[in-house]
Structure formats: C-alpha cells, structure tokens
Amino acid sequence: MMNAQFSRRDWLKTTALVTTPLLLSPVGAFAKPTASGRTPPLSAADIAAIEAAMGKKGTYVEAQATLTTPLPRNDLKVTIKGEPVPTALGFGGWVAIKHTLDGKSAMLMSDTVLLQEEVNPLISAAHANGLEVGAIHNHFFYEEPRIFYMHIHGMGSPSELARKYAATLKNSKLLPANQPQASPTTATQPGNTTTPAAAAQTGKELFDLAALDQIVKYQGTVNGPTYKYTVGRADLQSVMMGTEMTAAIGLNSWAAFAGKHADAHIAGDIAMLEREVNPVIKALRANNLEVVAVHNHMLFDQPRMMFLHYYGRGPAAQLAQGFRAALNELGQKEGSPHMQH
C-alpha cells in the first residue's frame, strides 16, 4: 500500500526530469495529447470501490479519466448581504480521483466547504489519514455564516484514497451520510432558502440561457436555481505530481448565476497562469465585477496555476460579459496586445 508522503517524495525524485522538459514545450502543445500521453482510465472496480467508500455515486468523465463526487453543504443556509442564496452558487464542494499519467498511482483532489470552526479539525483528520492540505482560503465576501475552502490532496491507489478520504470526513458534515436529506419541495435546489413558489423554478426558467450562451460562447448547465459555466484550459497541460490536472479535477474557470435574469448574482473562479493574473483582474474590474481572492489551489503544479474568485450583482447579461472578458485574457501569448494592458 502506497503511503501519501512517500508517494509525493518519490514523484519529486523520479519524475521531475520527465515532466519538466515536456512543460517547457510551446503553449497548446498538449491540447490534444497523443494516445501514449493519456491518463489510464479508472476501472469499473476502482469506481465501485470509490463510490462504496463515499456512500454516493460519482460522475465519471471518461475523456479525462476522472471520477468526481459532489459534496454540497445542504445543511448550510447561506446569505450574501442578507439575501439567501442557493448552495449551487458556490457552496458545494467535491472530491475527484484519477490515475497518474504513468498509471502507477492515483491522485485525490478535493475542495471542501467549511465553517471557520471546522477548518482545523479537518486538517488534523486529513493528516491523521495520510492526506495533505494544499490551500485554505475564502471564495466570497459578505456571506453569512463565514465560509472557508480547503483543498486536500493525496497519492495512492484509487480505493485506498477513497477510504482515507471517507475516514477524514467521518466526523464532518461533508460526508454524504452526514448530510440532511433534501425535502421533496427543495430536492432539485439544495440549500435554497427562498419561498416554495420561487423554489419551483430552475435556472432554465429564471435565466435567458440562449442569450447568456451567446455572450459567454459556451453552453452552461442548469443546477437547481442556478446556471453554471465550467471552462477548462485546453491551451495548456498542467501536471501535478505526475497527474494531468484537467477541468474535472479542478483546473477550470467557472461562473454560476443565481437570482433572475434582470437581477442576478454571479460567482466564480478563473484559472490563470501567473502572467494572466493582472490582465484578468483589470478585465473584471472594467466590467464592475468584484475581485474576492487570488491564490493557489494546488502544490507542485507545473506550470504554476493561480485562481481568482470574483462576485457581482446586476443584470445577468452584463455579468456574463464580465466573465467573457476575463476568459478573453487566458491563453494569450506573451507580448500580445492582450498581455500589454
């Protein structure tokens, strides 16, 4: 059985010489990996073992060989500036597992949604179970209760990682078994605290999806009362501890809309190279979106990725234009007009 600490040290010693030259290749060189460079898939037995340990079905993205299990905090009733907002605006955590590129190990990556008093007990539990902490930070301003996000990672076999993670969450509200059952009236909208009449509406009824898609130039997903875009970084290959980091394991930019089309909340995250950080900040501020946090999510990732969380309030179409403006700053070559603000 592979120890998480040993696995990380082993990766640092044995794969640095392999991965570093690859990552110095031109941007975009890995947008379409060759067959030999693809991550080996999780087996049916791997998936069954992970789902058994977590007590919940996950979503397997075959193209990225990643199983992701959502961990929404349905027990929390969150407000922003005193107004109730749904869990799906950004208060749902997740855990994902995939193999390393060489197939000899696997990685677990997780984003956990925590009350302040839950942070340090979970740190201790993670370390006691051989997992590591990669980041702790805020994603929002103005929220009550105050929420923090902790990224946990580990290396080992898929089943071992799932067992360790479930043991870490054993005494936490994060574990699916410890979450309250959604009532019939709110089953499609976990965490929503609006009236029953409003709760019957989903993002499909609340927003002009076609208009938003035209602005963002992607198609989003309805999740209860929200509409969410998730955009990966197809222009680059990011590798952490021998594992390809893709959208399904957290390397993505996203935007979630809540409220209604004429008066919406937007919350989201932009995944950036270091040189893209300030151009993205300028684009968001030019569109009157608030920058909430700039930080890492991962350790030992190459190239180094940064993440920016933002928030806004107003007509959904205007908010979408701000998200699109931020996306326009990603993937630009150094020295291009976009990079010379």
Side-chain angles (χ1 to χ4, degrees):
M1 187 170 290
M2 190 172 296
N3 177 275
Q5 294 283 350
F6 172 79
S7 179
R8 177 163 64 86
R9 288 197 301 268
D10 185 59
W11 169 81
L12 287 168
K13 290 177 183 176
T14 62
T15 66
L17 294 175
V18 176
T19 19
T20 303
L22 295 177
L23 293 167
L24 294 176
S25 300
V27 169
F30 290 90
K32 295 180 180 178
T34 61
S36 61
R38 289 201 182 104
T39 298
L42 292 171
S43 68
D46 289 333
I47 293 171
I50 294 167
E51 292 180 338
M54 293 304 303
K56 184 175 183 176
K57 288 281 186 182
T59 299
Y60 185 61
V61 180
E62 188 174 357
Q64 300 175 46
T66 304
L67 182 73
T68 303
T69 306
L71 302 171
R73 286 300 297 265
N74 297 337
D75 58 304
L76 299 178
K77 304 301 180 186
V78 181
T79 64
I80 294 179
K81 294 186 176 180
E83 180 179 334
V85 290
T87 300
L89 182 65
F91 305 99
W94 51 268
V95 59
I97 295 175
K98 70 184 298 186
H99 280 296
T100 52
L101 282 165
D102 64 10
K104 295 178 181 179
S105 185
M107 169 178 282
L108 176 145
M109 178 65 71
S110 176
D111 193 6
T112 55
V113 180
L114 302 167
L115 298 171
Q116 296 175 82
E117 60 270 22
E118 296 172 333
V119 172
N120 279 280
L122 194 66
I123 292 173
S124 297
H127 283 169
N129 285 286
L131 301 177
E132 298 185 330
V133 175
I136 302 169
H137 44 236
N138 66 302
H139 287 187
F140 285 87
F141 290 153
Y142 319 119
E143 84 280 14
E144 293 291 340
R146 198 173 185 203
I147 304 294
F148 282 83
Y149 296 76
M150 184 160 74
H151 295 266
I152 294 172
H153 64 254
M155 304 294 292
S157 73
S159 59
E160 173 194 12
L161 289 170
R163 289 194 301 270
K164 287 182 174 182
Y165 191 73
T168 297
L169 302 190
K170 181 177 63 173
N171 297 318
S172 164
K173 290 288 188 182
L174 293 160
L175 191 68
N178 297 340
Q179 275 288 300
Q181 292 294 316
S183 67
T185 58
T186 60
T188 60
Q189 302 183 56
N192 190 42
T193 55
T194 54
T195 63
Q201 292 186 300
T202 71
K204 186 176 180 179
E205 293 79 47
L206 294 166
F207 298 101
D208 184 340
L209 305 189
L212 295 179
D213 289 353
Q214 186 173 14
I215 294 167
V216 177
K217 300 176 183 170
Y218 287 97
Q219 186 172 359
T221 302
V222 173
N223 184 6
T226 67
Y227 190 55
K228 182 177 181 180
Y229 296 95
T230 303
V231 182
R233 289 297 303 253
D235 61 304
L236 55 83
Q237 185 190 51
S238 175
V239 176
M240 172 181 167
M241 301 184 193
T243 308
E244 186 174 36
M245 308 307 289
T246 59
I249 199 166
L251 184 61
N252 61 69
S253 300
W254 59 271
F257 293 82
K260 54 189 176 182
H261 199 79
D263 183 18
H265 299 267
I266 188 174
D269 195 3
I270 307 293
M272 310 161 294
L273 295 167
E274 291 175 301
R275 69 171 185 265
E276 296 167 341
V277 171
N278 279 280
V280 166
I281 289 174
K282 288 180 180 180
L284 291 169
R285 294 303 298 134
N287 284 273
N288 206 31
L289 295 180
E290 294 189 49
V291 175
V292 175
V294 179
H295 49 230
N296 68 293
H297 287 180
M298 303 179 286
L299 300 177
F300 310 109
D301 51 316
Q302 296 184 41
R304 177 72 164 162
M305 301 302 300
M306 303 297 292
F307 295 81
L308 181 151
H309 292 267
Y310 63 91
Y311 170 80
R313 183 75 188 269
Q318 289 183 17
L319 301 176
Q321 288 168 1
F323 178 55
R324 183 63 246 182
L327 293 180
N328 288 343
E329 301 298 334
L330 305 181
Q332 302 293 330
K333 294 181 179 178
E334 287 191 87
S336 71
H338 273 272
M339 299 305 295
Q340 297 178 349
H341 290 268

